[in-house]
Amino acid sequence: MNFKVAIKTYKRTDVLKEKTLAMLAEAGIPDGEITLFVVSDSEEQAYREALAGRGYNYVQCGPGINNAVRAYRSHFPAGTWVLHVDDDIAALMKKSGENQLSQVTNLIEYVETMFEITEKNDSRMWGVYPVQNAFFMKEHVTMGLRFCCAVFQGFISDGGRDISLFPECGNKDDFELSIKLYLADGAVIRDEAVTVKTAYYTSNKGGTAGDGAELREKRHLDAANMLASRYPDHCSLVKKKGFGGLDIRLKRMPNQKICLSPAQIAQEHAAT
């Protein structure tokens, strides 16, 4: 296995254990390749107790999404392939029909192939389709200004050398990094045929909901307004139900199809 796994997590020991860690274990990823980024000593102790007997690594990053993202993007040596996964991912899914999704069963091979595609195209970040809807998904990998959602996102570490790439806007860190890496590298990479099975805004305790709905909504609006102000050529505010009625959307830029999705290639091979 040629990559490391980073998971930022907050007050979600049970969810993490039942979902993301179970998925990674099923894929054959060793505990020692996984680092959990937690906010404090007491949180680390809670996770160690809940995950007793497992060989995960722990890093304390302080409170807030910005601190967590800066920590995991600078923790690993330059050149390391790092997969960031949210703590509530049940499965990695691929488009297997016009309105059908099926589980990706070769997760390690898939992730390594996506990193190879990213390096080949002189980029440093890749992601997957952000919505669980096979009808709108395609069968290829694209490059350009693409939204690489943090729920399942690969990046090639620079060891934290370029602080200009550190996020500043909190709850919209993945939008911000998609723009920053696009401006720095000329493109980010996204597989339009693969998505994740998760609940982006959950009623479970912990995560972004851990500090209460009112504060989460304020952070969401502050981040959306900050991005729209700083990057008017690359994103805009759009109306959205809930969360203060506003969200951010990346503007349409020319993008390029570069290859068939690795998940689709594996599917074709399995059918022959």
Side-chain angles (χ1 to χ4, degrees), residues 143-158:
M143 62 184 293
L145 178 60
R146 316 300 287 156
F147 173 47
C148 293
C149 188
V151 295
F152 196 91
Q153 179 192 90
F155 66 93
I156 301 170
S157 175
D158 69 355

Side-chain angles (χ1 to χ4, degrees), residues 9-13 37-50 58-63:
T9 184
Y10 178 54
K11 295 183 178 181
R12 302 186 84 180
T13 54
F37 291 80
V38 298
V39 304
S40 64
D41 185 67
S42 61
E43 278 283 290
E44 179 177 339
Q45 185 61 32
Y47 277 89
R48 286 187 180 276
E49 290 176 1
Y58 292 84
V59 172
Q60 294 180 25
C61 56

Side-chain angles (χ1 to χ4, degrees), residues 156-222:
I156 301 170
S157 175
D158 69 355
R161 295 174 183 173
D162 188 352
I163 62 173
S164 70
L165 296 178
F166 285 177
E168 302 172 81
C169 74
N171 287 36
K172 293 294 180 182
D173 60 285
D174 43 9
F175 278 93
E176 183 178 8
L177 287 170
S178 296
I179 295 171
K180 285 188 171 186
L181 268 296
Y182 167 77
L183 292 173
D185 296 342
V188 294
I189 310 296
R190 192 171 81 182
D191 190 343
E192 312 293 344
V194 171
T195 188
V196 293
K197 185 178 180 180
T198 186
Y200 285 99
Y201 297 107
T202 176
S203 59
N204 293 328
K205 294 181 179 180
T208 58
D211 295 324
E214 185 175 341
L215 182 56
R216 181 176 66 175
E217 180 176 310
K218 181 180 184 305
R219 288 170 175 167
H220 172 92
L221 288 174
D222 287 347

Side-chain angles (χ1 to χ4, degrees), residues 15-248:
V15 171
L16 173 64
K17 183 178 181 179
E18 294 168 3
K19 293 193 175 182
T20 297
L21 292 181
M23 177 191 71
L24 297 177
E26 182 183 3
I29 296 178
D31 292 358
E33 303 299 323
I34 300 169
T35 301
L36 307 182
F37 291 80
V38 298
V39 304
S40 64
D41 185 67
S42 61
E43 278 283 290
E44 179 177 339
Q45 185 61 32
Y47 277 89
R48 286 187 180 276
E49 290 176 1
L51 303 171
R54 306 305 297 265
Y56 305 118
N57 305 297
Y58 292 84
V59 172
Q60 294 180 25
C61 56
I65 290 179
N66 284 343
N67 284 333
V69 178
R70 290 169 185 170
Y72 74 69
R73 292 192 73 89
S74 59
H75 174 73
F76 301 93
T80 304
W81 291 356
V82 183
L83 174 68
H84 174 264
V85 189
D86 269 7
D87 58 11
D88 59 352
I89 304 302
L92 188 66
M93 309 297 289
K94 64 184 177 183
K95 181 181 176 73
S96 53
E98 184 177 357
N99 292 294
Q100 184 177 354
L101 296 172
S102 60
Q103 187 170 348
V104 174
T105 56
N106 58 335
L107 189 146
I108 293 176
E109 180 184 352
Y110 171 78
V111 170
E112 290 180 341
T113 303
M114 285 302 298
F115 275 114
E116 291 169 359
I117 292 170
T118 301
E119 285 195 331
K120 182 179 179 181
N121 288 279
D122 298 319
S123 184
R124 284 178 286 175
M125 189 168 78
W126 62 269
V128 298
Y129 196 75
V131 181
Q132 301 170 59
N133 190 327
F135 182 80
F136 293 105
M137 296 166 69
K138 307 300 180 183
E139 297 183 343
H140 47 261
V141 178
T142 61
M143 62 184 293
L145 178 60
R146 316 300 287 156
F147 173 47
C148 293
C149 188
V151 295
F152 196 91
Q153 179 192 90
F155 66 93
I156 301 170
S157 175
D158 69 355
R161 295 174 183 173
D162 188 352
I163 62 173
S164 70
L165 296 178
F166 285 177
E168 302 172 81
C169 74
N171 287 36
K172 293 294 180 182
D173 60 285
D174 43 9
F175 278 93
E176 183 178 8
L177 287 170
S178 296
I179 295 171
K180 285 188 171 186
L181 268 296
Y182 167 77
L183 292 173
D185 296 342
V188 294
I189 310 296
R190 192 171 81 182
D191 190 343
E192 312 293 344
V194 171
T195 188
V196 293
K197 185 178 180 180
T198 186
Y200 285 99
Y201 297 107
T202 176
S203 59
N204 293 328
K205 294 181 179 180
T208 58
D211 295 324
E214 185 175 341
L215 182 56
R216 181 176 66 175
E217 180 176 310
K218 181 180 184 305
R219 288 170 175 167
H220 172 92
L221 288 174
D222 287 347
N225 281 299
M226 179 186 293
L227 283 179
S229 175
R230 290 191 178 186
Y231 302 100
D233 294 334
H234 300 90
C235 66
S236 58
L237 293 171
V238 294
K239 292 182 178 180
K240 183 179 180 180
K241 184 178 180 181
F243 293 97
L246 289 176
D247 203 355
I248 203 76

